[in-house]
Amino acid sequence: MKAFTVAIFLLFMHQTVAANGRPDKTTVIKTLGANILLPCWNTAINVTPSFTRWMKNGQLIIDRNHSKVLTHSSEGHLTILYNQSLYINGLALSDEGIYLCDSLPHDNKTQTSLTLQIVSGPGNGITDIHPATTLSNGTLVVHRGSTVLFNCSSWSYPSQSLSWGFQGVAPRNDSLAAGSGSWLDFRIEDIQPTAQGNYTCRAQNSVSQKEVGWSRELLVYYSPEKHPECQWKTGKDPSHVQFNCSWFGGYPSPTLFWREKHQVPSSQGNQVAGQLMESGVTDRLVVNLNRSLLFDGQTLKCDGYHPTLSTEDEKFCSFTLKSPYPEGEPLVTALEGTNITLTCKESSSLPPALTTWQRTAQQEDVVPSPKYVLSGQGPTFTLTIVNITKQDEGLYFCRSENPLMVRELEIYLTVKTSPQNTGAIIGIFLAILIVGSGIVIAKTVYSSRDRICLGHGFERMEEEREDVLSLVESDEEVFPEAVPRLPPLSLTNGHNTTLVQIHRISSSKT
């Protein structure tokens, strides 16, 4: 190793010799702690020296009688070799200076003078970024919007320059700060995600130009601005449903939990409990359920957690499941030949129910056609039947189904004949009624004609129905004398009457 060092040094000196083949003055730069060999060209050519001494800054530090070593400054630190060169083991800062070699016999024309420059560093670099959290892999984490301080320190001899650089997602390097001295700092206020990347502090020795850098990866965490969003999606089988919980807009991805939430009675009152259905570190969490796991009034909740939020800052979305309940008029009447619209409303179900129309007791699906016009506007569903006939009479069903259950509204449609036939029937009925009433009245008047003629009228017919009227037929001749009146009789009903004898006059033949 020593021979290799000497060879390198001699090569260096060979490149800096004067035109006469011997250097008269040069500067040697060496790192602190290294070993060095300083050559001496002060002796005459082809002459073996008898005595050599080395001086530093005008002070004798070591000499040698080539038969033996006379003095040395420290054991093993300085050594004069057989060719008058000075070997320094483990350079220290105190070894820096101007070295002069003198030998006997010596060459009066040349004297070796060397300037030894000690350099060290950069080293002992420290980077400090705060306030920040350190992950297990050494990466630093700050929160968006905070003020972050960056500081770098290093030691170099005799001097150094420091600089801060940044490399983000874009392939470029940005210089953030520069200066000289043992430390350098700067700050970023209201830090944003664009400031996420690698920060490097570089230190360069001003003499040796040696450069060293220390890098730290910085992540900027931020939570989504909104709450998680709950959605649902039904497939071809309405008894199955997919619930989606999404919480986008944050870094890193949040942790999401799907839970069933319900009240549990306890001694301290009702406590909220929930069965965990699914969880994961993701922006979107999906859980698939079927009808056997769902019931009316069940509450499903998606909880979201993010590293930038405290446990008390709860972010969630939830909804309560409701079974369908279609509503409408169960009895509908329509006239034959007209149009009728059946109406059904269903607005309470969650997830929203699929509502369809069916007809007849076999519940056949109603297919849109010129005969049947289907429409849906919000929670209202209608079925319009065009040009109703008697065959349209019967049962119709408004069927609503969601993942919880199926419910149906039963509607019975009654079809009546047209108004023209109805009028004819009513006219015939009235005519028969009038004619029958006339016959009854006429018969009654005819049977009571004698009472009407006596002046009592109809109003006293009922009262006198117990009176006795005696009609006597006689073949006696009628005399011209006046017919005597019988005295009035007093009847048991309190009315007076007169007995009238009516004689029949027989006709005479002429």
Side-chain angles (χ1 to χ4, degrees):
M1 184 66 183
K2 182 184 292 185
F4 175 76
T5 303
V6 172
I8 293 298
F9 179 78
L10 291 177
L11 178 62
F12 171 77
M13 293 301 296
H14 175 71
Q15 294 174 346
T16 58
V17 294
N20 58 8
R22 293 182 179 180
D24 53 0
K25 188 176 182 181
T26 187
T27 299
V28 179
I29 300 174
K30 204 65 177 176
T31 304
L32 181 68
N35 301 329
I36 191 171
L37 184 65
L38 301 179
C40 178
W41 283 293
N42 199 33
T43 58
I45 300 175
N46 298 327
V47 176
T48 301
S50 60
F51 183 82
T52 302
R53 63 180 180 178
W54 279 90
M55 303 180 69
K56 185 184 75 172
N57 299 330
Q59 301 292 325
L60 177 65
I61 56 173
I62 189 173
D63 58 14
R64 176 186 177 184
N65 184 338
H66 284 275
S67 61
K68 61 180 181 179
V69 177
L70 297 178
T71 62
H72 53 82
S73 60
S74 61
E75 183 177 1
H77 184 59
L78 299 176
T79 303
I80 298 176
L81 303 181
Y82 67 94
N83 61 354
Q84 303 97 45
S85 298
L86 177 62
Y87 177 75
I88 305 176
N89 182 28
L91 286 174
L93 292 178
S94 59
D95 293 324
E96 192 175 64
I98 300 174
Y99 286 80
L100 186 63
C101 169
D102 190 16
S103 299
L104 293 176
H106 61 270
D107 186 354
N108 294 327
K109 296 181 181 180
T110 304
Q111 192 174 31
T112 302
S113 176
L114 297 172
T115 300
L116 178 60
Q117 174 72 63
I118 305 294
V119 295
S120 180
N124 300 329
I126 299 175
T127 57
D128 179 34
I129 302 176
H130 66 278
T133 303
T134 304
L135 302 180
S136 58
N137 61 355
T139 301
L140 300 178
V141 173
V142 296
H143 293 176
R144 180 176 60 183
S146 60
T147 298
V148 184
L149 302 178
F150 297 78
N151 182 53
C152 173
S153 62
S154 175
W155 182 86
S156 292
Y157 183 84
S159 62
Q160 67 179 358
S161 62
L162 295 173
S163 65
W164 271 105
F166 169 72
Q167 184 176 9
V169 178
R172 72 175 191 274
N173 293 319
D174 296 333
S175 179
L176 303 174
S180 59
S182 60
W183 57 273
L184 176 66
D185 64 358
F186 75 99
R187 71 172 56 197
I188 298 178
E189 296 182 354
D190 189 24
I191 195 167
Q192 295 300 313
T194 53
Q196 181 171 282
N198 291 312
Y199 289 82
T200 302
C201 174
R202 291 182 175 86
Q204 186 179 50
N205 192 294
S206 56
V207 176
S208 66
Q209 302 302 306
K210 180 182 178 182
E211 184 179 275
V212 179
W214 301 273
S215 296
R216 300 298 298 271
E217 183 181 12
L218 182 67
L219 302 179
V220 180
Y221 281 7
Y222 53 95
S223 63
E225 295 181 356
K226 299 180 180 180
H227 284 259
E229 184 175 342
C230 293
Q231 296 176 328
W232 48 82
K233 179 181 179 182
T234 56
K236 294 183 179 179
D237 185 357
S239 64
H240 289 74
V241 62
Q242 181 184 90
F243 295 107
N244 299 323
C245 178
S246 57
W247 199 22
F248 297 102
Y251 179 82
S253 296
T255 302
L256 300 178
F257 299 88
W258 267 116
R259 292 189 176 97
E260 176 194 357
K261 179 183 176 183
H262 56 275
Q263 300 287 337
V264 177
S266 65
S267 57
Q268 290 79 23
N270 289 337
Q271 301 291 327
V272 177
Q275 178 182 357
L276 179 63
M277 296 180 173
E278 196 73 35
S279 65
V281 180
T282 178
D283 297 323
R284 180 174 177 267
L285 186 62
V286 176
V287 60
N288 294 288
L289 301 175
N290 57 39
R291 185 166 292 170
S292 63
L293 300 174
L294 305 174
F295 56 88
D296 190 48
Q298 183 181 22
T299 299
L300 299 181
K301 180 183 179 185
C302 176
D303 292 304
Y305 296 92
H306 196 270
T308 61
L309 301 176
S310 63
T311 54
E312 291 79 13
D313 192 4
E314 188 178 19
K315 302 291 184 179
F316 69 94
C317 62
S318 64
F319 50 84
T320 300
L321 303 181
K322 294 182 180 180
S323 58
Y325 193 81
E327 297 178 294
E329 292 294 332
L331 298 176
V332 178
T333 302
L335 294 176
E336 189 176 14
T338 62
N339 299 339
I340 186 65
T341 298
L342 308 181
T343 302
C344 170
K345 291 185 178 181
E346 203 296 300
S347 59
S348 62
S349 60
L350 191 70
L354 175 64
T355 299
T356 58
W357 287 94
Q358 296 177 338
R359 62 184 298 269
T360 73
Q362 289 73 31
Q363 293 189 279
E364 302 171 357
D365 290 333
V366 176
V367 179
S369 65
K371 177 70 174 180
Y372 300 107
V373 180
L374 304 177
S375 67
Q377 187 70 29
T380 302
F381 302 88
T382 60
L383 168 61
T384 300
I385 306 173
V386 179
N387 192 19
I388 292 177
T389 64
K390 200 66 176 177
Q391 286 73 23
D392 296 319
E393 186 174 75
L395 287 173
Y396 291 82
F397 298 90
C398 176
R399 185 179 187 274
S400 296
E401 180 178 10
N402 74 349
L404 276 71
M405 65 181 304
V406 178
R407 272 208 178 104
E408 297 173 341
L409 169 66
E410 183 178 306
I411 301 175
Y412 190 85
L413 174 62
T414 301
V415 178
K416 294 186 177 182
T417 55
S418 62
Q420 293 82 359
N421 296 336
T422 303
I425 294 173
I426 294 176
I428 294 173
F429 174 77
L430 291 177
I432 294 174
L433 181 62
I434 293 172
V435 171
S437 299
I439 294 173
V440 172
I441 294 173
K443 185 177 181 180
T444 304
V445 171
Y446 178 77
S447 62
S448 304
R449 63 187 181 281
D450 53 345
R451 299 180 185 181
I452 296 173
C453 293
L454 293 176
H456 296 289
F458 289 102
E459 68 274 8
R460 299 191 62 180
M461 290 175 62
E462 184 65 23
E463 297 179 357
E464 296 177 352
R465 62 188 176 184
E466 295 182 0
D467 293 351
V468 177
L469 178 62
S470 176
L471 298 179
V472 179
E473 286 190 1
S474 176
D475 293 331
E476 296 179 3
E477 293 182 358
V478 179
F479 297 95
E481 289 84 8
V483 177
R485 283 183 176 268
L486 298 177
L489 300 176
S490 178
L491 303 179
T492 57
N493 58 3
H495 298 283
N496 294 327
T497 186
T498 301
L499 178 62
V500 179
Q501 289 184 347
I502 298 176
H503 296 268
R504 179 178 178 182
I505 303 174
S506 60
S507 60
S508 60
K509 296 180 181 181
T510 55

